[in-house]
Amino acid sequence: MHKNIPQLLTLLNDENFHSGSDLGEKLNLTRSAVWKLIKQLEKLGIEVEVKTKLGYKITHNLEFLDARKIGQYFTVPHKQYLDKIIIFDELPSTNSYLIELAKNDPNYKECICLAESQTAGRGRLGRQWFSPYAKNILLSLLWRFSKEPNELGGLSLAVAIAVIESLERYGIKQDIKLKWPNDVLWQQHKLAGILVEISGENRHAYNTVIGIGLNLNMPKTHSQNIGQPFCDVAEISNATPERNKLTGLLIDQLLTTMEVFQKGSLQPFIEKWRELDVSYGQQVTIITPQEKISGIGRGIDGKGHFLLEDKLGKLHTFVAGEVSLEKNDMIMDF
Ligand code: BTN
């Protein structure tokens, strides 16, 4: 991203038109250099209105991330984490950043990394995670768990519950659901994704990076970058999402989840998972590299493994796989 883009966006972010020469003067650039920057904004996913005589205007105003505003939504015990927030305009991936940080200083404790955009955002199963500039939440938390990695297997499921709880605290009443292992869905469209990575052991504590991508404003024009049905908070709530508020509530809820998980692992979350599980009691199919099997979803076990009851009533346990819901004889892939 060009170094002048954050400043250009700050200038444009006031609901007014700005002429090319005015912007050029403030940025110390020629009008044609300003025009080139405007073209780059479109590549970042920011819609710009252009009018002869008037100049340029951002179609939808942006709410930039602000640590002070985010911290207002932390409950008192979590205020201490305020100075652990790092915000980037752009970086390859917030997860990769924290993995590197923990590698370089294995004693590093908690850190929260946020970005307005990522150039190499990573999803599960080697997929990419796309997000336009300053529109959604791209968050990673570094946490040290004194637990064995096999006990951390269910962590991403607990995190998925935290995402829904933070949306509830924000005021979203709609039926947001979970699809194993950790997709957050609304009406079968993906709202958020979670990528947990364990990055090395130091004195029996494991550096764990929890990455969350939560869609707040994801225009449908980005469908070609995403490759699966998706939705955003703007669509669900029918209002402009308050980005700093949602980020603050999400971090606060995530910190609570970390504390509960440290003490009780996945056990305290299993009942809540069952309530939110889109496939619980439903006809589903799970595909693994070895097999494809259909049956009734029966929730998760204490390790977060998926349970499926086949037509003979036998219970199968899955450590990995892609679950799809069957409705009216159609398989719905999310
Ligand atoms: C998924 O595929 O469902 C998981 C997506 C996780 C994306 C988030 S965005 C913040 C963090 N940084 C990354 O590179 N990935 C995660």
Side-chain angles (χ1 to χ4, degrees):
M1 188 172 68
H2 192 284
K3 65 175 177 20
N4 285 120
I5 287 208
Q7 203 192 341
L8 171 66
L9 281 171
T10 311
L11 292 170
L12 287 174
N13 204 32
D14 64 355
E15 297 176 13
N16 292 318
F17 278 96
H18 294 261
S19 70
S21 54
D22 188 29
L23 292 169
E25 211 170 284
K26 291 189 173 124
L27 294 167
N28 209 9
L29 295 171
T30 62
R31 277 172 57 193
S32 79
V34 169
W35 184 80
K36 280 188 193 142
L37 283 183
I38 297 281
K39 287 278 134 211
Q40 282 199 27
L41 291 187
E42 285 164 8
K43 284 207 187 102
L44 287 171
I46 297 166
E47 293 157 64
V48 182
E49 274 178 59
V50 187
K51 278 206 175 135
T52 31
K53 294 205 180 118
L54 288 176
Y56 309 106
K57 174 182 184 285
I58 304 188
T59 311
H60 304 286
N61 253 31
L62 302 168
E63 183 185 339
F64 299 114
L65 295 172
D66 178 331
R68 200 185 44 81
K69 290 186 188 158
I70 290 170
Q72 283 172 8
Y73 299 97
F74 287 9
T75 45
V76 174
H78 296 152
K79 292 278 184 203
Q80 50 164 323
Y81 291 98
L82 233 176
D83 58 4
K84 301 198 182 280
I85 300 178
I86 316 176
I87 300 175
F88 288 91
D89 265 322
E90 181 183 77
L91 85 177
S93 149
T94 53
N95 263 34
S96 306
Y97 175 83
L98 290 183
I99 290 170
E100 206 50 34
L101 191 76
K103 196 165 91 189
N104 294 335
D105 181 357
N107 292 318
Y108 209 97
K109 281 200 167 165
E110 305 85 18
C111 184
I112 298 152
C113 178
L114 294 159
E116 298 291 11
S117 72
Q118 300 182 127
T119 52
R122 295 188 289 110
R124 285 177 54 235
L125 310 169
R127 295 183 186 131
Q128 277 189 343
W129 188 260
F130 170 80
S131 176
Y133 186 88
K135 296 265 184 172
N136 297 314
I137 297 179
L138 304 168
L139 157 78
S140 297
L141 167 71
L142 170 64
W143 195 265
R144 279 164 63 80
F145 277 106
S146 43
K147 282 183 181 295
E148 291 301 312
N150 63 354
E151 284 180 273
L152 293 175
L155 177 62
S156 71
L157 285 76
V159 171
I161 296 172
V163 174
I164 295 195
E165 286 173 336
S166 67
L167 290 165
E168 284 168 359
R169 279 174 65 190
Y170 179 75
I172 293 204
K173 305 265 182 296
Q174 280 81 351
D175 215 14
I176 316 280
K177 290 283 187 188
L178 296 175
K179 185 173 80 87
W180 187 83
N182 53 32
D183 280 350
V184 180
L185 306 172
W186 176 65
Q187 298 186 347
Q188 278 117 45
H189 287 61
K190 187 148 165 169
L191 177 62
I194 292 151
L195 178 67
V196 172
E197 299 180 284
I198 301 168
S199 71
E201 189 244 335
N202 181 33
R203 280 184 264 127
H204 308 294
Y206 288 84
N207 292 319
T208 308
V209 173
I210 297 111
I212 303 175
L214 172 60
N215 295 337
L216 306 190
N217 300 283
M218 187 72 99
K220 296 290 181 222
T221 45
H222 295 299
S223 304
Q224 79 281 3
N225 295 314
I226 296 178
Q228 60 181 318
F230 62 90
C231 63
D232 58 24
V233 171
E235 185 184 359
I236 298 172
S237 62
N238 208 10
T240 306
E242 294 171 71
R243 206 162 161 246
N244 284 298
K245 178 173 179 180
L246 264 162
T247 305
L249 293 172
L250 177 59
I251 296 171
D252 190 61
Q253 198 62 42
L254 193 56
L255 291 167
T256 303
T257 295
M258 296 298 110
E259 292 149 5
V260 175
F261 194 92
Q262 177 61 55
K263 286 200 201 110
S265 294
L266 191 60
Q267 206 55 45
F269 300 94
I270 291 181
E271 202 44 52
K272 183 78 183 173
W273 173 274
R274 184 171 295 184
E275 283 167 30
L276 298 171
D277 181 0
V278 72
S279 66
Y280 190 78
Q282 301 294 317
Q283 186 70 33
V284 293
T285 294
I286 181 162
I287 301 174
T288 73
Q290 293 78 33
E291 59 184 331
K292 176 177 174 179
I293 163 164
S294 297
I296 306 288
R298 290 289 177 225
I300 53 169
D301 69 8
K303 289 184 173 153
H305 299 159
F306 186 71
L307 301 173
L308 180 136
E309 185 184 331
D310 70 17
K311 56 178 183 290
L312 301 172
K314 187 174 168 225
L315 205 59
H316 300 252
T317 306
F318 294 88
V319 179
E322 280 286 301
V323 176
S324 36
L325 202 61
E326 287 177 35
K327 265 205 178 136
N328 306 327
D329 296 323
M330 261 174 57
I331 295 185
M332 317 246 311
D333 277 315
F334 307 121

